[in-house]
Amino acid sequence: MSFDLVLFGGTGDLAWRKLMPALFQAFRHGTLPEGGRIIGVGRDDLSDEQYRKLIQSRFDKVELAKRPSAEEFARFAALLEFVRVDLSKPDDYARLAASLQGRNADTVVMYVATAPALFTTVCEQLAASGLNTPKTRVVLEKPLGHDLASNRAINHTVRRFFEENQVFRIDHYLGKPAVQNLFALRFGNALFEPLWRREHIANIQITIAEDLGVESRGAFYETTGALRDMVQNHALQLLCAIGMEPPINSHADAIRDEKLKVLRSLKPWTQESLSLDVIRGQYANGTSGGGKVPGYREETGVDTRSNTETFVALRTEISNWRWAGVPFYIRTGKRLAGRDARIVVNFRPTPHAIFNSQLGMANRLVINLQPKDGLELHLLAQGQENRQQARQGPSQQALAPVQLDLDFDKRFGSERVGAYERLLLDVIDGRLNLFVRSDEQEEAWRWVEPMLEFWANDSQGPRLYNSGTWGPSASSAMIARDGFCWSEES
Ligand code: BG6
């Protein structure tokens, strides 16, 4: 099957940091279908050869399990071409169209990795140049809009020219191996299903912590912030994967229908919950990676009086029979104490104690997404570390916390398919399971919007936290109100 993958934003950060390395990995492992072309599109005046050299020079800066030899890179680079397109100029699209029509590939993927404000222009121009044929697939990067209205406007324009099943709204968290394993754990095994409900689960915590700051993306981040950048999409998709009902089959719409139901069941905000259950923060200077780092307001491209949040912690509930009353906590931020993404399912304590142990939340399932992916099951065990204990009766014995640990890297090897690699192959092959449907996305914006509105009228601004910490102390206080603590504090 031949394909043309057209990369709008072909010289941009996402292209060289994530997309090209992912395509290279697929090429290296022989999973990229043969007969493909990857066409970078951008404003620069580059020849194909100059584009290949540019990507090669950037490859030195990206993480790859094994660096390519010159010969290996050259074989990959033979797939790369470049077409100069100023996105606002119709004539430039005509040039692109000519290049694509000359070859007539079986599938044409338009990967729009540009600023979201350009999505509608690109789609309109693609249609005007006759590039919206049935064999075209459009990939749209997040964030898709900055609120519900702008998201709807983009979806509306896109749907004027493309069918829903031609539109691949990407959320790379859905491609992460740990998320695949979460689906496998929940729907490929019967073990946890009877426990996966309010009767047995005390709370669920979703943390996506990054140690890096905004790096070179200060200007982008200023108009985005952590709520739009991470919560509206990545964190909510994780929440859906944890909270959804088993789908009737593994088809894209069966999965997306169930995720949509979760989003529709999220507890509506009130003025009270907005003020008590949502904490926004912004990093001040501090220490990270062993060195001193500047605060957010000192970053390039950031207003010195900026109120943009770099941290959000919130409490919500899924109002349905399975989950009513179970708090779901979401926390994400930049310049936190480490790079650590995980979902923690805290099971309820035993109802009655026969051992001399505290009735804590001893049973916990941890789904680690980053930096390593794996599963941990925390239990209490009779360790008999102290010989004297052998002389004590059961009621005097203290139990010790232990954990069953499954490290997927060790089990399956560290060179597994990465998120972007999997998702790009899915687009080429036309599989929509791991992509977000427009109604899901709109529902997520609908739920996020009251927080944006509340902040717009809140003169207090975000709470400052020192870089290298776990964010404002108010986030611990919020969860403590329910009698719980964040997993790293327990
Ligand atoms: C992106 C956000 O979607 O996800 C970034 O725009 C963030 O701000 C990144 O750093 C995190 O992705 P990952 O895969 O490194 O956790």
Side-chain angles (χ1 to χ4, degrees):
M1 182 203 68
S2 62
F3 71 90
D4 281 342
L5 195 160
V6 182
L7 210 50
F8 289 87
T11 55
D13 249 36
L14 187 77
W16 68 264
R17 271 185 207 275
K18 302 278 189 196
L19 304 180
M20 285 295 177
L23 289 164
F24 173 75
Q25 284 293 99
F27 171 79
R28 166 180 268 171
H29 294 288
T31 47
L32 192 67
E34 283 184 13
R37 271 198 311 182
I38 301 164
I39 303 162
V41 163
R43 293 168 76 134
D44 310 72
D45 197 2
L46 299 177
S47 66
D48 294 344
E49 206 39 48
Q50 283 169 322
Y51 185 55
R52 292 171 186 147
K53 289 230 159 66
L54 178 79
I55 297 299
Q56 186 171 24
S57 67
R58 302 267 164 92
F59 255 44
D60 297 339
K61 301 190 181 92
V62 298
E63 242 180 72
L64 279 176
K66 193 168 109 230
R67 307 237 61 93
S69 65
E71 184 273 328
E72 192 183 16
F73 185 81
R75 281 193 289 117
F76 172 67
L79 310 182
L80 306 186
E81 295 178 17
F82 189 79
V83 178
R84 182 172 56 79
V85 176
D86 178 333
L87 297 182
S88 59
K89 289 199 181 142
D91 287 355
D92 286 10
Y93 289 85
R95 227 190 12 258
L96 175 66
S99 141
L100 296 176
Q101 277 148 10
R103 200 170 88 103
N104 200 18
D106 299 328
T107 300
V108 180
V109 176
M110 302 288 180
Y111 197 119
V112 192
T114 63
L118 292 167
F119 288 174
T120 48
T121 312
V122 172
C123 287
E124 278 162 1
Q125 292 298 335
L126 288 176
S129 342
L131 286 172
N132 60 331
T133 67
K135 64 183 183 181
T136 308
R137 294 177 188 145
V138 191
V139 186
L140 299 174
E141 263 294 337
K142 57 154 276 286
L144 220 69
H146 56 271
D147 56 13
L148 179 59
S150 55
N151 175 259
R152 277 189 164 159
I154 295 174
N155 280 331
H156 180 74
T157 310
V158 174
R159 289 297 307 277
R160 270 171 55 213
F161 307 116
F162 297 97
E163 297 296 325
E164 179 66 30
N165 64 8
Q166 293 180 279
V167 186
F168 290 68
R169 295 177 195 79
I170 205 163
D171 183 315
H172 77 279
Y173 265 62
L174 287 179
K176 286 191 186 278
V179 178
Q180 310 309 304
N181 267 311
L182 174 55
F183 286 124
L185 177 82
R186 287 202 57 202
F187 308 131
N189 296 278
L191 182 65
F192 284 106
E193 173 52 24
L195 304 177
W196 213 255
R197 57 193 64 249
R198 60 191 306 281
E199 289 82 1
H200 301 288
I201 291 180
N203 70 71
I204 293 186
Q205 305 180 7
I206 297 172
T207 295
I208 311 177
E210 297 183 82
D211 51 354
L212 294 178
V214 290
E215 310 257 87
S216 56
R217 298 162 77 222
F220 158 81
Y221 206 82
E222 268 294 82
T223 56
T224 309
L227 189 66
R228 292 184 174 100
D229 190 38
M230 301 296 287
V231 177
Q232 189 271 342
N233 31 72
H234 303 326
L236 281 187
Q237 286 294 327
L238 295 182
L239 182 136
C240 287
I242 279 281
M244 68 195 266
E245 294 300 315
I248 53 167
N249 57 38
S250 61
H251 296 161
D253 278 332
I255 296 171
R256 301 188 305 176
D257 287 347
E258 296 305 336
K259 287 196 289 160
L260 178 63
K261 283 204 282 199
V262 173
L263 294 166
R264 285 190 175 146
S265 319
L266 287 175
K267 199 168 175 181
W269 295 108
T270 61
Q271 287 302 301
E272 191 191 5
S273 63
L274 285 166
S275 70
L276 290 176
D277 293 345
V278 186
I279 309 294
R280 63 170 164 160
Q282 186 189 77
Y283 64 83
N285 58 24
T287 312
S288 178
K292 294 222 170 312
V293 290
Y296 176 69
R297 292 177 189 175
E298 300 156 67
E299 302 274 18
T300 314
V302 172
D303 187 330
T304 50
R305 288 164 309 160
S306 171
N307 269 345
T308 300
E309 79 288 355
T310 62
F311 174 97
V312 178
L314 62 86
R315 176 198 191 284
T316 186
E317 288 176 27
I318 300 175
S319 305
N320 63 15
W321 274 45
R322 186 186 285 268
W323 293 118
V326 177
F328 282 73
Y329 305 103
I330 291 177
R331 177 179 54 163
T332 184
K334 296 211 180 270
R335 281 276 187 247
L336 296 182
R339 180 167 188 253
D340 178 7
R342 74 187 116 107
I343 303 169
V344 178
V345 180
N346 281 312
F347 291 91
R348 291 188 188 279
T350 51
H352 171 68
I354 64 162
F355 294 105
N356 182 18
S357 292
Q358 284 189 335
L359 275 184
M361 226 97 66
N363 297 138
R364 151 187 311 179
L365 177 72
V366 183
I367 298 136
N368 286 314
L369 283 84
Q370 265 157 210
K372 288 197 160 266
D373 64 311
L375 286 176
E376 294 165 21
L377 183 61
H378 294 243
L379 307 164
L380 286 183
Q382 174 49 269
Q384 288 205 358
E385 276 161 15
N386 180 345
R387 288 196 83 79
Q388 291 307 318
Q389 276 195 7
R391 301 195 48 204
Q392 294 165 348
S395 65
Q396 292 307 303
Q397 289 177 5
L399 301 183
V402 289
Q403 74 194 55
L404 298 172
D405 215 336
L406 177 57
D407 176 334
F408 286 122
D409 275 359
K410 280 199 190 131
R411 179 64 187 79
F412 297 119
S414 57
E415 246 203 282
R416 279 173 303 132
V417 182
Y420 272 104
E421 184 181 348
R422 169 180 297 276
L423 295 175
L424 281 162
L425 291 174
D426 281 352
V427 179
I428 294 170
D429 291 336
R431 279 186 298 270
L432 277 158
N433 305 39
L434 298 176
F435 294 83
V436 183
R437 213 168 49 192
S438 60
D439 48 4
E440 279 181 79
Q441 218 169 39
E442 287 184 14
E443 205 54 52
W445 276 116
R446 187 171 291 117
W447 184 74
V448 153
E449 242 182 15
M451 289 183 265
L452 293 169
E453 281 162 15
F454 185 81
W455 290 345
N457 300 314
D458 170 27
S459 55
Q460 207 189 359
R463 296 163 199 264
L464 295 181
Y465 58 95
N466 288 327
S467 290
T469 65
W470 282 102
S473 55
S475 124
S476 301
M478 174 190 75
I479 191 167
R481 272 203 333 265
D482 291 338
F484 302 131
C485 60
W486 291 109
S487 60
E488 79 281 353
E489 295 168 346
S490 59

